[in-house]
Amino acid sequence: MGDGDKRREGFGEGVNAPADHGSWRVRLRRWAASGSGDVLGAGVLFGGEHVLTCAHVIRDPVTGLRPERVQVEFPMLQGLTRTPRRTAAVAAGHWVPPFGKAQGDLALLVLDEPAPVPSPVTLHRTLDYRGAPVLIDGFPEYQSGGEWLTGACMGPGGEGDERVQIDLTGAGRLRGGFSGSGVREEGGDRLLGIVAQADESGEHGYMIPAATVAKYFRRFAERYVTGPHAVPGHRVVPAEAARAARPHGLQRTVTRWLNGDEDAWDTEVLFITEDDERARQALYVVLNMADREQAPHLAVSPLDAAGPGPAEPGASLLSRAGIAPRVGSIGLVLDLEGAALDDPDRPELREALAVLRHELRHAARRHTAPRHRPAVAVLYADRSPTEPATAVRILRELADAGARLLLVVRDGTHGFPYAMAERLLPADRAARWLRRIGARVDELSGTERRARRLFHRVEPHVVDPPLATGYAARAALWTVQLSDELRPLTGRGGPHFLEKLSYAEQAVDTYLLRARAAEEELRAVLDEHLRLRGLLRDHLARLARRGLAEHADAVGPYREAQRLLMAGPCPLADAERAVEAFARVVRRLAEADGDA
């Protein structure tokens, strides 16, 4: 294996050079043996030999596949008599063509020899892109020296929120030659992502952010993507486990908070007992689903994407239950179990807090809407060595700065829940929480009522139909008991009462998930029964139009299908077979009658 092959196997070392010397800005041309080919677009150089760009920029226009080679130029290097150039090929396992609706579209190139000047830049994860002012460079036609545009990030976009929308704020427009170019944070040296596409006007575009790049190119990200992970490594859930996970009521609360729904509060509290492993895993799954970098229900291996487009995985149990947090909606997960907020031995925690404070300062200057500010899940502050009053003070500062908090605690006996109830939550939280649970119970009661009506329609015709659930009466009794307990507490409620409310809401939401599932199953059974009756009626009408309704060959199969569908409960599969048997007779008789 030669040196060039070794370079293709590994990622090069970074260097400490000024971030603005332009070495990272590269121009891509179609490779031509006789000289320079047409300009394809732009790319970003990382280290001395890797170029990140969009797959559609370099894709072969004839075959639609990856090219064998691409010409890479370094037009921004100063003091040279001619523009340096290199030949590059797509790195093995790092080709993700566009698929779905604005998904994928990434390619990593490896130079045939090191770049003239190594690039010092990295891609940087941010907690919230909304409102961030950015600079975009590209190489449009007839502007060989490139062009800079100014814009502002507007928030997530594209299927699964893989991309971030950018609206231009100055002169110029996005056009051919900008795809693959770096998006740089104005006033700083951080690259946030690369440009992927623009609308017809050229006034709006989409960026593939650092976290999306990291999702597809994990090995590359280890070297060239900086900034704290939204979800710490020890709380990452394997994609297979997430797709097979069963819905849990707490995931509805967390999803509403992540999505900024109207009935969600900026500061939510969730109690999970020490021994409830299923609830903890349910929490980690929904947080992973909200992380643009993890998003296990959307995760695609670059190797799987080597063809025209990866096959989409089957819908998970969670997505079928309506648990679908927006990808990218979680800004940060702070896991404080056994860790102090100011622990010098936890640099990743210290960095995460520093980045969070930086983002909050910028969000305040951008006048970002509250529901669009960073969402921060704080896990197990009641298991942190940080003194409770200090922890609550720090969290209060974050909340006052605009952070939306999800506080996950183990029980109400620790000092932290007491301090949280007194100093972090509004005085009427318990009363408002009880009213919210009451609204969930009303929704549960309505769902079960509809399911019972469906059951009464289905039961006479179908064997063993799904049963409607009957949880509403029990849940309504809880709300009465909790209301009686709250009344002497004048509305505030201590940590023990908040703990009861949390468990009650989780249970009611779990019941609601089951009730909705039963309603959907019953509706599907009824729809299938009605569909078969409609088919039987249509086939009979086809025969009747030709005077063949009483044909000896048709009478028996029709009566059998009618008996199964109308006379009493029957398995739907038997009824479907009978309808299909009658349909075959109808087709045969119609063809014989001259209606092919």
Side-chain angles (χ1 to χ4, degrees), residues 254-264 266 329 371-372 404:
V254 177
T255 297
R256 288 190 293 264
W257 171 76
L258 286 165
N259 292 348
D261 290 353
E262 289 184 2
D263 60 348
D266 285 345
S329 57
R371 66 187 297 269
H372 291 156
R404 300 173 55 247

Side-chain angles (χ1 to χ4, degrees), residues 267-271 381-382 388-389 391-393 395-396 405 407-409 411-433 486 489-501:
T267 299
E268 290 277 0
V269 178
L270 192 64
F271 283 84
D382 57 332
V392 167
R393 176 181 56 78
L395 294 175
R396 180 82 218 189
L405 302 177
L407 306 175
V408 182
V409 293
D411 58 62
T413 61
H414 188 271
F416 176 79
Y418 280 91
M420 172 193 73
E422 289 292 327
R423 305 174 190 175
L424 194 55
L425 300 180
D428 63 345
R429 169 54 58 89
R432 293 171 59 197
W433 203 343
L486 174 64
L489 301 176
T490 66
R492 174 177 284 277
H496 291 293
F497 189 70
L498 295 177
E499 186 174 8
K500 290 182 181 180
L501 292 173

Side-chain angles (χ1 to χ4, degrees), residues 123-376:
L123 284 173
H124 190 80
R125 302 178 184 90
T126 66
L127 306 185
D128 185 34
Y129 294 92
R130 295 177 181 88
V134 293
L135 298 171
I136 306 168
D137 78 289
F139 298 96
E141 193 174 9
Y142 306 123
Q143 291 187 250
S144 60
E147 180 183 8
W148 285 97
L149 301 176
T150 59
C153 295
M154 305 307 293
E159 184 80 7
D161 292 334
E162 278 201 356
R163 299 186 180 177
V164 172
Q165 181 178 330
I166 296 176
D167 289 357
L168 296 189
T169 56
R173 61 185 181 88
L174 290 167
R175 48 206 167 104
F178 277 94
S179 291
S181 59
V183 178
R184 184 174 178 177
E185 188 177 37
E186 190 172 6
D189 290 332
R190 303 191 308 181
L191 287 184
L192 304 183
I194 61 173
V195 174
Q197 65 185 101
D199 67 359
E200 292 183 1
S201 70
E203 297 176 354
H204 312 280
Y206 284 96
M207 170 182 76
I208 302 177
T212 299
V213 175
K215 181 176 80 169
Y216 290 109
F217 297 160
R218 294 189 180 276
R219 192 175 168 203
F220 169 83
E222 291 173 2
R223 198 72 182 156
Y224 294 117
V225 178
T226 61
H229 293 268
V231 177
H234 62 290
R235 299 304 186 197
V236 170
V237 177
E240 296 75 16
R243 293 187 188 119
R246 294 175 55 195
H248 191 291
L250 69 82
Q251 292 170 324
R252 281 174 48 86
T253 297
V254 177
T255 297
R256 288 190 293 264
W257 171 76
L258 286 165
N259 292 348
D261 290 353
E262 289 184 2
D263 60 348
W265 301 311
D266 285 345
T267 299
E268 290 277 0
V269 178
L270 192 64
F271 283 84
I272 299 178
T273 60
E274 187 79 38
D275 59 351
D276 196 344
E277 181 61 26
R278 180 170 176 256
R280 283 201 300 276
Q281 286 303 310
L283 171 67
Y284 304 149
V285 164
V286 75
L287 291 176
N288 274 252
M289 290 174 68
D291 180 9
R292 183 181 279 107
E293 191 165 339
Q294 300 302 330
H297 63 313
L298 294 175
V300 178
S301 163
L303 296 179
D304 295 337
E312 295 185 7
S316 69
L317 296 174
L318 299 183
S319 62
R320 290 203 292 269
I323 297 171
R326 291 199 67 178
V327 177
S329 57
I330 183 65
L332 191 64
V333 175
L334 295 175
D335 190 348
L336 301 183
E337 187 168 27
L341 280 166
D342 55 353
D343 190 344
D345 295 328
R346 299 287 292 272
E348 69 281 2
L349 181 58
R350 191 169 61 250
E351 180 193 12
L353 281 170
V355 171
L356 174 59
R357 290 187 174 105
H358 170 83
E359 295 291 338
L360 290 172
R361 286 194 297 271
H362 278 262
R365 287 198 291 269
R366 300 170 197 154
H367 304 291
T368 306
R371 66 187 297 269
H372 291 156
R373 290 177 181 171
V376 182

Side-chain angles (χ1 to χ4, degrees), residues 431-449:
R432 293 171 59 197
W433 203 343
L434 186 56
R435 288 196 295 271
R436 189 169 77 176
I437 294 173
R440 302 272 188 276
V441 173
D442 291 343
E443 187 179 356
L444 171 63
S445 178
T447 301
E448 291 186 338
R449 207 163 36 243

